[in-house]
């Protein structure tokens, strides 16, 4: 069993930066078997949407609205996933969730759907004011 917990959400002004962290804990064998990690976000009244994914080879994918501004990374030694967010915009305001799954990320976009992932954190709030 893998457990995820996000940190780093805050209120910032437009153009600012934040780094979100997601700490994985639980069975070390299950953590090692994780092949796809992701960040999702959800705004009030909207469906949860994928933001970025990274697979066990280090390959990264980003949704168009965040390309060039967000960077996903991981520190295997610390079992931690990160999301560096730069040039933040008011439309980035949302609850951000990290996710993990033992199946590889889908290079054809299947990983952008929250049904792809088995494990989720509780979320952290990011608010960007104009």
């Amino acid at each position: 069993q893998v457990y995820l917990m996000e940190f780093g959400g805050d209120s910032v002004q437009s153009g600012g930066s934040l780094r979100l962290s997601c700490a994985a804990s639980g069975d070390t064998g299950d953590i090692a078997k994780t092949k796809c990690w992701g960040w999702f976000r959800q705004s009030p009244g909207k469906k949860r949407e994928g933001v970025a994914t990274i697979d066990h080879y280090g390959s990264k994918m980003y949704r168009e609205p965040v390309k060039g501004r967000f960077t996903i990374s991981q520190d295997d030694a610390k079992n931690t996933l990160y999301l560096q967010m730069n040039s933040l915009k008011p439309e980035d305001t949302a609850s951000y969730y990290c996710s993990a799954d033992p199946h590889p990320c889908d290079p054809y976009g299947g990983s952008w759907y929250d049904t792809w992932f088995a494990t989720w954190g509780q979320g952290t709030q990011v608010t960007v004011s104009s």
Side-chain angles (χ1 to χ4, degrees), residues 7 9 14 16 27 37-38 40 53 69 74 77 82 96 106 109 113 117:
F7 301 92
S14 182
D27 186 279
W37 301 86
F40 283 68
T53 63
R69 300 189 298 123
Q74 61 187 149
Y82 300 101
Y96 283 73
D106 183 356
Y113 297 95
F117 291 90

Side-chain angles (χ1 to χ4, degrees), residues 7 16 22 24 27 35 38 41 63 86 88-89 96 110 127:
F7 301 92
C22 172
D27 186 279
K35 291 185 173 61
R41 65 186 182 187
R63 294 296 292 271
N86 299 328
L88 282 162
K89 305 175 181 180
Y96 283 73
T127 303

Side-chain angles (χ1 to χ4, degrees), residues 20-129:
L20 304 182
S21 302
C22 172
S25 61
D27 186 279
T28 54
D30 288 341
I31 294 173
K33 291 175 186 175
T34 300
K35 291 185 173 61
C36 187
W37 301 86
W39 284 100
F40 283 68
R41 65 186 182 187
Q42 186 171 23
S43 304
K46 294 187 177 181
K47 294 176 66 174
R48 189 156 52 180
E49 63 174 6
V51 173
T53 63
I54 184 169
D55 71 10
H56 57 301
Y57 295 117
S59 295
K60 305 174 185 181
M61 294 177 63
Y62 299 94
R63 294 296 292 271
E64 196 62 39
V66 307
K67 279 184 179 178
R69 300 189 298 123
F70 290 13
T71 303
I72 188 171
S73 62
Q74 61 187 149
D75 185 331
D76 290 334
K78 296 181 180 179
N79 289 333
T80 302
L81 181 73
Y82 300 101
L83 185 68
Q84 178 66 45
M85 306 187 294
N86 299 328
S87 302
L88 282 162
K89 305 175 181 180
E91 51 263 44
D92 295 319
T93 295
S95 292
Y96 283 73
Y97 301 85
C98 65
S99 55
D101 198 87
H103 298 92
C105 297
D106 183 356
Y108 302 104
S111 308
W112 294 135
Y113 297 95
D114 57 8
T115 50
W116 189 265
F117 291 90
T119 301
W120 293 88
Q122 85 292 343
T124 186
Q125 178 66 34
V126 172
T127 303
V128 185
S129 57

